[in-house]
Amino acid sequence: MKTLMLNPIDKDIETAGRILREGGLVAIPTETVYGLGANALNPSAVNKIFQAKGRPNDNPLIVHISDISQIKPLVKEIPEKAKMLMTDFWPGPLTIILPKTDIVPQETSGGLDTVAVRFPANETAQKIISCAGVPIAAPSANTSGLPSPTKAQHVFDDMDGKIDAILDGGECKVGVESTVITLATEKPRLLRPGGVTLEMLRDCIGEVELDDSVFAKLKEGERASSPGMKYKHYSPKADVVIVKGTYDAFKKYVNSLCSENVFALCFEGEENQLQVSATPFGKKGNAEEQAHFLFDALRKLDEMGAKIVFTRCPDKSGVGMAVYNRLIRAAAYRVIDLEKTIVLGLTGATGAGKGFLSKKLVAMGFEVIDTDKIAHQITEKGSPILQKLQRAFGEDILIDGELDRKLLAKRVFRDKKSQKLINSITHPEIIMISKEKIQLSEKNGQHRFIIDAPLLFESGMDKICNATIAVICPDERLRMARVIERDGISEEQAKVRMKSQPKDEFYTEKTDFVVVNDGKKDVDSQIINIFLKM
Ligand code: TXA
Ligand code: MG
């Protein structure tokens, strides 16, 4: 099929109206997003919409009108609250759901006994609907699942050859789809946030409930109040991940993962300081702008070839609720919160790459809790732990109040019982000090910590971790080469050292996550996956 390109001039508007009246499909501009229009009262015309979009048939369509009086034949009755909403917000980005009459076909209502009605503010849309002379069913004019189109070019990219015509009315002002409210439930309920905010609705009609699906994923088997909410949505081809936190934390995080596959979606002006390719979607704190640019930015990222996109998190208030609602779906609910305190315990055999991972995490904004240092600190001159050690291992382990570390080491060498005794004296103290350090840093705005402890589990340090990670390198030769290079020792010495260490299974059985650092598997993507699971 050849798709006709039309302009917002009278002649073309009449053509669009005629095609719609005769059962064809025309993409029309509205103030929210482009809609894929068909005669809402003609089942075979409506079916073509589902085909062109690849949309599931149980997902109902919004019926568009160009005059308030046109709602009357579509709905059973118009309650007082509907009248109040229509007065305040029509024409405009608000869709109202009411029990439907029989003239609205099941195809349009997705089998439901209600109908969603909207009177768009866009003048071209109004003229096209008037010319058609029938109410127009119009979902967003994108391929199902992709970001909604806010420019005629977006529609062309998705629909060329599949529909009769596209009328180019320029960029859509609002940029996200209309607010959807149902009055067919006991209490008015907001199903989809948009340009008309929850506050505006409450100011107009009083109590309005917020549907659970606005922010949260539907649970397995849960029924969607709005069928569209259960489907994958607004998703570019890339994996999108929302990153909550300050810009500084975001910057550090994203820059540390810099690679050709990693992209960022950020607020205007922030892209200059990011080392990855970034696309802005409006100014920070300006939800209207963010809504306007969001879908275009998501489509741009696909054009740029993004594989993974880290995005800044918008405020959820006002129109921001709509922006967040779309973004969280684009992200398939993947959120990394840099302001949630996370303590990671790292463990693994020598040469596997604990140090390497630790460095990477530091670059990402983690602070290392150095347990070796703490162990030293608590056995310094004058510390109470020394008295305990003295009682256990003899007066002479102190010389002038200083611990004779060599002597102590000799005394406990190869004696499991003595080692246990030392540990039982020092480990609780090390844990306590680690906790204090974490609390102090938290007060200064630090939220992410790593505990690099060779004896993570034996010491009980794992108990203060949110998650534990084993770093392994199944390639023994590579591990040995690393140890030789790092410590400047001979192959023989390295062999002895490696032999004294537990096998990989010892670590992987106990830890929550495993990072394979064999020089082949990409470590960054393993780290990202771990964060997404926490
Ligand atoms: O701004 C908009 O509303 C755009 C423009 C083109 O007007 N249209 C739009 O349509 O976003 P669509 O089909 O992409 O989204 C309609 C949403 C879907 O989530 C659908 O499930 C819901 O409204 N919906 C429609 N009729 C419904 C009904 N009777 N009950 C519950 N939800 C309904
Ligand atoms: Mg849609």
Side-chain angles (χ1 to χ4, degrees):
M1 175 188 299
K2 169 117 181 72
T3 300
L4 213 57
M5 293 305 291
L6 303 173
N7 292 305
I9 49 173
D10 287 350
K11 178 173 77 60
D12 284 5
I13 288 171
E14 272 160 32
T15 305
R18 180 179 45 75
I19 297 172
L20 288 168
R21 199 167 47 244
E22 290 171 359
L25 297 186
V26 182
I28 60 176
T30 84
E31 74 278 24
T32 56
V33 300
Y34 273 80
L36 182 54
N39 179 351
L41 308 182
N42 175 345
S44 74
V46 166
N47 276 332
K48 289 186 200 162
I49 293 181
F50 289 95
Q51 265 171 25
K53 272 181 69 83
R55 179 175 171 117
N57 280 78
D58 67 345
N59 192 0
L61 306 174
I62 296 175
V63 177
H64 296 67
I65 56 176
S66 57
D67 187 283
I68 285 196
S69 64
Q70 289 171 347
I71 188 177
K72 229 174 150 210
L74 304 174
V75 300
K76 285 214 166 109
E77 59 168 340
I78 305 174
E80 201 47 44
K81 283 183 179 164
K83 285 184 190 147
M84 290 156 78
L85 291 171
M86 284 151 57
T87 308
D88 278 12
F89 304 115
W90 276 8
L94 177 68
T95 296
I96 303 173
I97 296 175
L98 288 167
K100 77 174 190 72
T101 58
D102 291 340
I103 77 160
V104 179
Q106 296 289 319
E107 283 76 5
T108 301
S109 70
L112 299 176
D113 50 15
T114 52
V115 63
V117 187
R118 165 159 135 75
F119 178 3
N122 183 294
E123 277 179 24
T124 307
Q126 290 176 3
K127 283 185 197 162
I128 296 170
I129 299 166
S130 296
C131 273
V134 286
I136 297 298
S140 47
N142 52 289
T143 299
S144 218
L146 296 188
S148 297
T150 55
K151 293 174 175 171
Q153 181 64 46
H154 299 159
V155 181
F156 183 84
D157 293 342
D158 284 15
M159 293 295 156
D160 183 36
K162 295 181 182 163
I163 62 176
D164 296 290
I166 299 169
L167 195 139
D168 185 347
E171 275 185 37
C172 300
K173 222 167 105 198
V174 180
V176 294
E177 307 86 342
S178 62
T179 303
V180 178
I181 187 172
T182 177
L183 298 181
T185 44
E186 205 179 310
K187 287 181 185 155
R189 177 177 280 252
L190 177 69
L191 300 183
R192 182 176 73 182
V196 174
T197 66
L198 182 60
E199 297 77 26
M200 288 156 79
L201 294 170
R202 286 180 175 159
D203 277 350
C204 176
I205 56 167
E207 199 182 351
V208 176
E209 291 177 337
L210 186 62
D211 200 68
D212 287 344
S213 65
V214 168
F215 291 133
K217 196 174 178 170
L218 282 175
K219 293 181 193 74
E220 199 77 41
E222 195 177 347
R223 212 184 126 259
S225 330
S226 177
M229 289 300 177
K230 72 182 173 204
Y231 296 109
K232 193 169 133 103
H233 249 105
Y234 318 116
S235 318
K237 291 184 198 90
D239 285 333
V240 178
V241 181
I242 296 179
V243 181
K244 282 190 185 167
T246 60
Y247 174 51
D248 273 342
F250 179 84
K251 202 166 56 184
K252 205 163 192 183
Y253 183 82
V254 171
N255 285 348
S256 71
L257 291 167
C258 181
S259 88
E260 56 178 16
N261 292 335
V262 176
F263 287 67
L265 184 59
C266 61
F267 299 128
E268 204 183 298
E270 293 181 345
E271 60 273 33
N272 306 331
Q273 286 182 49
L274 295 170
Q275 283 156 20
V276 300
S277 308
T279 300
F281 71 116
K283 283 191 214 58
K284 184 173 164 20
N286 187 336
E288 282 76 14
E289 254 193 28
Q290 292 163 18
H292 178 81
F293 288 112
L294 179 66
F295 288 142
D296 187 43
L298 287 174
R299 280 181 181 255
K300 264 193 197 131
L301 285 160
D302 267 348
E303 275 167 31
M304 290 158 84
K307 293 277 183 307
I308 180 154
V309 175
F310 291 107
T311 168
R312 294 274 275 140
C313 184
D315 291 334
K316 291 183 206 163
S317 59
V319 176
M321 189 189 280
V323 179
Y324 187 81
N325 168 274
R326 306 308 190 273
L327 203 50
I328 188 104
R329 284 177 168 69
Y333 301 92
R334 286 176 288 240
V335 179
I336 288 173
D337 187 351
L338 298 179
E339 274 168 7
K340 194 171 93 182
T341 292
I342 289 183
V343 182
L344 289 182
L346 294 193
T347 189
T350 188
K354 237 173 348 104
F356 170 73
L357 187 65
S358 172
K359 265 198 204 127
K360 258 196 183 302
L361 291 167
V362 168
M364 292 172 85
F366 277 79
E367 178 182 321
V368 181
I369 303 296
D370 187 337
T371 52
D372 278 346
K373 211 159 145 192
I374 297 173
H376 242 262
Q377 210 178 308
I378 61 169
T379 47
E380 259 163 22
K381 195 171 176 175
S383 88
I385 289 286
L386 286 184
Q387 285 169 18
K388 285 190 190 168
L389 288 175
Q390 222 174 0
R391 248 174 274 139
F393 297 100
E395 295 286 323
D396 58 340
I397 62 160
L398 292 196
I399 304 170
D400 291 339
E402 298 262 9
L403 178 64
D404 185 344
R405 292 176 199 275
K406 275 202 184 129
L407 182 66
L408 180 62
K410 215 160 123 191
R411 226 155 254 183
V412 303
F413 185 64
R414 285 206 177 145
D415 176 0
K416 283 250 157 72
K417 232 167 115 190
S418 296
Q419 279 165 5
K420 249 195 174 149
L421 186 58
I422 274 204
N423 291 345
S424 73
I425 294 172
T426 56
H427 284 164
E429 186 76 7
I430 295 174
I431 292 176
M432 202 182 72
I433 293 183
S434 301
K435 274 189 185 163
E436 283 170 7
K437 274 191 189 296
I438 289 171
Q439 278 162 7
L440 190 71
S441 281
E442 267 186 300
K443 283 200 185 110
N444 295 324
Q446 177 67 32
H447 300 287
R448 322 203 108 198
F449 303 91
I450 13 177
I451 293 179
D452 178 346
L455 303 175
L456 188 63
F457 294 97
E458 298 88 329
S459 65
M461 287 294 278
D462 62 307
K463 304 233 164 47
I464 66 165
C465 296
N466 299 95
T468 54
I469 302 179
V471 187
I472 62 164
C473 171
D475 180 347
E476 296 244 340
R477 295 186 64 87
L478 179 62
R479 257 183 71 204
M480 181 138 76
R482 285 178 187 158
V483 174
I484 291 170
E485 176 167 341
R486 183 191 63 195
D487 300 341
I489 54 177
S490 71
E491 192 171 326
E492 281 315 303
Q493 285 167 316
K495 263 188 192 152
V496 172
R497 191 177 300 175
M498 283 170 63
K499 230 182 179 164
S500 74
Q501 296 242 320
K503 294 254 169 297
D504 283 347
E505 293 74 50
F506 170 84
Y507 300 104
T508 56
E509 269 168 19
K510 288 199 180 81
T511 51
D512 302 312
F513 302 103
V514 175
V515 167
V516 180
N517 177 40
D518 59 359
K520 288 184 214 123
K521 262 190 109 169
D522 178 40
V523 170
D524 283 358
S525 59
Q526 295 181 71
I527 298 177
I528 294 167
N529 275 331
I530 291 173
F531 288 154
L532 291 176
K533 286 189 189 130
M534 270 188 311

